[in-house]
Amino acid sequence: FRTTRQDLGLKPDSDAQKPQMPFVIDGEIMEDNLIWCGKNPDWLKGILAQNRLGLSDTLLLAGDDTEQYTLGRKDSRT
């Protein structure tokens, strides 16, 4: 048996973030994850354009069903 916040009558942490899913890994689009989170290739292109980044230069782009995302660029020294 494991006690949860709900068991104790505690509200969820207001600063808690949703888990993020990878949308791009090492330049490869994870289409199923985009669809799962209600995103599409046009959204992805827009995020990359805003960050002046090409798909081949993207190490990781992860997000959820909100507009929050995490972006990692490939190291240009390699």
Side-chain angles (χ1 to χ4, degrees):
F1 177 70
R2 183 175 167 195
T3 304
T4 66
R5 287 178 162 272
Q6 188 175 9
D7 294 331
L8 299 174
L10 299 174
K11 294 182 180 179
D13 187 359
S14 62
D15 292 333
Q17 288 185 317
K18 291 181 177 183
Q20 293 189 335
M21 297 184 75
F23 297 146
V24 176
I25 299 174
D26 197 16
E28 184 177 337
I29 299 173
M30 306 288 113
E31 291 185 41
D32 289 342
N33 292 353
L34 277 175
I35 293 167
W36 181 264
C37 291
K39 308 292 186 205
N40 59 44
D42 290 333
W43 176 87
L44 177 63
K45 289 176 189 175
I47 294 299
L48 295 177
Q50 284 176 359
N51 289 279
R52 297 185 181 108
L53 192 62
L55 186 59
S56 63
D57 300 316
T58 305
L59 179 63
L60 176 70
L61 175 61
D64 55 28
D65 61 350
T66 69
E67 291 302 309
Q68 300 295 317
Y69 63 89
T70 301
L71 179 63
R73 302 168 188 260
K74 288 185 181 178
D75 188 349
S76 61
R77 294 178 285 165
T78 57

